[in-house]
Amino acid sequence: MSRTGRILAIGALTLLAIVFVYPFVWLVSASFKPRGEVFDNRLIPQTFTFENYVQVWQEAPLALWLGNTVLVTALAATAVTLSSAMVAWAFAFYRFRGRGALFALVLGSMMLPGAVTMIPTFLIWNALGAVNTLTPMWAHNLFGSAFYIFLLRQFMLSLPRDLFDAARVDGANPWQVFWRIALPLSRPALAVTAVFEVQAVWTDLMRALIYLRDSATFTVPRGLKALVDNFGFGGEWHWEILITASVITTIPMIVLFFVGQRHIIEGVAAGGLKG
């Protein structure tokens, strides 16, 4: 690429970066403004105040909501990563009759809209007495995810089969081959799966609206919805509270991106090169 082309490419990327970053910068700036100046569109607040951050902790149990979300996210990401890896390993390594049909059935489940299974799933959790608890927010991941199974299977198919056969000749049982050899070699794909699921669970409002009714069990998305209900109606919108709460609950995802971006890039690159 010529020098002019590089300059144009850098300029275009810089412009796109500004477009994507600007909303969050505006959000952070507005969180330090009093109510009357929230929408003055200044990136540098005319009246700088920390009162919003003090008040939001007083008005809402953010620490509890964040704790619930961290717990649910950790359990959900761990459950779906391990369960999907087990199923993917079975489809990638073992040869058995009907394997192709079963895998096609797994992929076909991705075609079902969530609304189709929403009511039957709710009835199951309700019969188990799990409604208004955190269990339905993560336990469904114990059965894997069709998308992650596909992603991990494609990666595992690229692993050298001779390595696994040699391990079995040396006396390793199937579980040892999977746990000690296949999983460590699949670490890039596992990292991508975990990061994707963390982001999905952290922002999951629909399931929280269905199953969580007590504020003590609220996750971050459900808590923000409660704040909108409490501070957004009744004649006066407390935008400074809503914006500040949004900033606080968004920061963990930003930290996750900066911590996990190397693993995401490695996982996607490895899958692209090997798959």
Side-chain angles (χ1 to χ4, degrees), residues 52-167:
N52 297 335
Y53 284 89
V54 175
Q55 187 177 357
V56 71
W57 291 100
Q58 296 173 346
E59 298 291 346
L62 273 183
L64 177 62
W65 295 346
L66 286 169
N68 290 341
T69 309
V70 169
L71 175 62
V72 168
T73 301
L75 291 174
T78 302
V80 80
T81 301
L82 291 179
S83 59
S84 298
M86 290 185 213
V87 178
W89 171 246
F91 280 122
F93 183 73
Y94 293 102
R95 303 288 187 268
F96 54 89
R97 181 174 298 178
R99 184 182 70 159
L102 284 176
F103 187 65
L105 186 63
V106 170
L107 295 183
S109 66
M110 290 193 296
M111 303 298 107
L112 290 175
V116 173
T117 58
M118 186 182 298
I119 295 177
T121 303
F122 174 82
L123 294 176
I124 292 173
W125 287 119
N126 189 49
L128 294 174
V131 174
N132 201 31
T133 70
L134 295 176
T135 303
M137 300 297 296
W138 67 271
H140 63 285
N141 279 352
L142 291 171
F143 304 98
S145 164
F147 173 74
Y148 297 141
I149 290 171
F150 171 75
L151 175 70
L152 292 168
R153 174 186 176 272
Q154 295 305 108
F155 186 90
M156 290 177 175
L157 284 173
S158 67
L159 300 177
R161 189 180 180 88
D162 292 343
L163 185 63
F164 308 124
D165 293 335

Side-chain angles (χ1 to χ4, degrees), residues 163-188:
L163 185 63
F164 308 124
D165 293 335
R168 298 189 67 178
V169 169
D170 289 340
N173 59 44
W175 175 255
Q176 290 174 326
V177 173
F178 168 72
W179 188 259
R180 297 184 179 180
I181 301 177
L183 274 189
L185 290 177
S186 304
R187 187 163 48 190

Side-chain angles (χ1 to χ4, degrees), residues 22 25-34 37-38 40-49:
Y22 176 80
V25 174
W26 183 94
L27 192 73
V28 173
S29 174
S31 69
F32 291 104
K33 298 176 182 179
E37 300 178 9
V38 168
D40 62 5
N41 209 28
R42 295 173 180 265
L43 292 183
I44 300 177
Q46 186 176 6
T47 305
F48 196 91
T49 177

